[in-house]
Amino acid sequence: MGSTDPESHKLQGNKLFKAKQYLKAAGEYSKAMKLDKTSHVYPSNLAAALLAINKYKQALGASETAISLKPEFEKGHFRRGQALEGLERYEEAAEAYMEAARLNPSNQEAMKKVQGVAAKMSEPPESVREAVHIAGQMEASLKEREEEEAEKKRRLKEETQAKAEAALEAEKQRIAESSMNTAKQLHQSASRMRSGGSATEYDSQRILRFAQVELEGLRDPENAEQYASPLAIILPGAVNTEWGDEGCGVAMNAAFESPDNHSEAQAFLRQHAASCRAHAVLMIVPKDKIAFPRVWTKGGKTEPEGTGGFFVQLQTLEAADRCMWWMAKNESGSWVQEVLDYEEWQIMGTLLRKED
């Protein structure tokens, strides 16, 4: 016993149609029509299958059934035109194709069909000549609209490209200015450190006090703006009563935006640290400012928890004093300080080297 679902017959008919088994496809569409006499789709598909095997008279009947169920159905009128053309009823075919074009003004095939059937007639009647004229106007109008649309797309593409190029140029300028400002700060910082204070020996306890002071500053909510961008804090190899155990901070605004910026910043800091005989460099960097290197994505690491977090890297002349921390606030708003493996999590390469 066959299926009682008209859609299943339609789907089977579609498969057969694609396989060019048009007669069998017509049989499936006919079964669907018998099970559902209200749908315009089944007779329309039947018409298509019958047209494929030149059964024009039967195709005409099927297409007219589709139109009777849905008068504004474009495909029904087009297939009716094909059936009439096959039966050499050219004047009626031209009218059917025109109706399809009227229902869908972008149907260029229907417009060309009007002109095609007119060419088959030795003396086209007035109605066909008029249909050819209208089809020509519609085709020209459609072409004009397509050209206008293409022009709009071209202009939009040019405008988008121009905006993108302007944005890129502005970003390059911003990075250049940021790099210049960083270089100036480094120069001024080194000058201050060289001109004041007296040389002192490396002291692990001094390094510890320096780190504690700076981390307390990070926890202070009044200093939030100061730590909004990457910051390098240098502890010089000199002491001054005005400095205490505090270092000199340098903003590294674009240092972690790309591999090139990171490499340049590392070279700047290495030179700066050498010029002021630094004993330590403390990097405090908001995680959301790091595009490179994204250390938390490598080596199967578990991403640190907390919101508004910072990676804090303490570089020192003595390897034993180096540290790496993750600092962030937990759900209760309290600061959490997590010790990380220095080699695995460092965000900046070696800046300090002991003199031989």
Side-chain angles (χ1 to χ4, degrees):
M1 185 175 178
S3 172
T4 58
D5 178 18
E7 274 297 297
S8 66
H9 286 293
K10 186 196 80 170
L11 293 174
Q12 182 61 25
N14 291 348
K15 290 179 183 179
L16 292 166
F17 191 95
K18 288 180 181 178
K20 297 185 179 181
Q21 297 183 44
Y22 302 118
L23 189 58
K24 289 183 178 180
E28 292 297 324
Y29 296 138
S30 295
K31 291 175 184 177
M33 283 179 64
K34 290 177 181 178
L35 292 169
D36 182 358
K37 295 180 171 59
T38 64
S39 173
H40 63 284
V41 174
Y42 307 140
S44 176
N45 286 9
L46 174 59
L50 293 168
L51 285 167
I53 52 178
N54 302 327
K55 299 288 186 178
Y56 300 120
K57 187 175 181 180
Q58 294 92 323
L60 178 60
S63 62
E64 288 179 341
T65 298
I67 294 169
S68 69
L69 293 169
K70 189 174 182 180
E72 70 279 11
F73 185 49
E74 170 201 349
K75 284 185 179 179
H77 291 281
F78 186 85
R79 286 168 182 167
R80 179 172 179 267
Q82 288 178 297
L84 289 165
E85 184 178 358
L87 294 170
E88 299 183 3
R89 292 161 60 178
Y90 299 130
E91 185 174 356
E92 294 173 84
E95 292 174 359
Y97 287 136
M98 273 304 300
E99 185 61 17
R102 185 186 66 78
L103 290 168
N104 179 11
S106 64
N107 190 338
Q108 287 184 304
E109 189 178 2
M111 299 172 198
K112 292 185 183 300
K113 281 286 190 179
V114 172
Q115 297 165 349
V117 294
K120 293 179 179 181
M121 303 170 71
S122 56
E123 294 184 11
E126 178 62 27
S127 60
V128 174
R129 291 199 300 272
E130 184 179 354
V132 169
H133 177 70
I134 295 172
Q137 288 183 322
M138 292 176 70
E139 193 172 12
S141 177
L142 179 60
K143 185 177 180 181
E144 186 177 345
R145 286 200 304 272
E146 288 176 346
E147 289 175 351
E148 288 176 356
E149 189 63 29
E151 178 63 18
K152 285 180 183 178
K153 288 181 180 178
R154 185 190 65 77
R155 287 200 301 268
L156 180 60
K157 183 178 180 181
E158 288 180 353
E159 290 171 3
T160 302
Q161 185 175 349
K163 288 179 181 177
E165 289 175 353
L168 179 60
E169 190 60 35
E171 179 65 8
K172 287 181 180 178
Q173 183 66 24
R174 184 189 69 78
I175 292 173
E177 290 175 357
S178 177
S179 299
M180 186 177 296
N181 289 335
T182 297
K184 288 179 180 177
Q185 288 185 41
L186 288 169
H187 176 72
Q188 293 166 358
S189 173
S191 298
R192 287 197 304 272
M193 291 181 180
R194 284 195 299 267
S195 62
S198 55
T200 185
E201 295 295 322
Y202 183 91
D203 180 1
S204 294
Q205 290 301 312
R206 180 176 179 241
I207 300 296
L208 178 60
R209 291 194 301 271
F210 159 69
Q212 289 175 339
V213 168
E214 299 300 342
L215 293 182
E216 282 301 317
L218 173 60
R219 294 187 187 96
D220 189 341
E222 293 186 2
N223 296 335
E225 186 174 346
Q226 177 182 339
Y227 295 101
S229 296
L231 188 67
I233 306 170
I234 315 296
L235 181 67
V239 292
N240 186 306
T241 54
E242 293 182 2
W243 297 341
D245 292 319
E246 294 186 9
C248 183
V250 179
M252 303 296 290
N253 297 321
F256 297 89
E257 291 186 356
S258 70
D260 287 344
N261 287 11
H262 187 267
S263 178
E264 289 178 9
Q266 186 167 278
F268 275 139
L269 285 174
R270 187 179 293 129
Q271 182 180 4
H272 177 52
S275 68
C276 61
R277 300 181 179 85
H279 285 181
V281 179
L282 188 71
M283 295 292 305
I284 302 178
V285 184
K287 178 173 174 284
D288 62 7
K289 296 292 184 181
I290 301 178
F292 178 88
R294 297 173 67 84
V295 292
W296 60 92
T297 64
K298 299 177 181 178
K301 297 184 181 74
T302 300
E303 189 169 344
E305 297 181 356
T307 58
F310 296 81
F311 285 106
V312 182
Q313 180 179 350
L314 175 64
Q315 283 206 39
T316 57
L317 282 176
E318 295 291 346
D321 294 327
R322 294 172 182 170
C323 287
M324 189 77 205
W325 298 285
W326 166 254
M327 296 190 64
K329 290 185 177 181
N330 58 22
E331 293 180 356
S332 65
S334 301
W335 280 94
V336 175
Q337 184 172 329
E338 178 185 351
V339 178
L340 304 173
D341 182 280
Y342 187 88
E343 296 299 328
E344 289 291 324
W345 289 88
Q346 61 178 316
I347 53 176
M348 186 66 75
T350 302
L351 303 174
L352 304 174
R353 298 186 187 278
K354 292 180 65 175
E355 295 181 359
D356 296 329

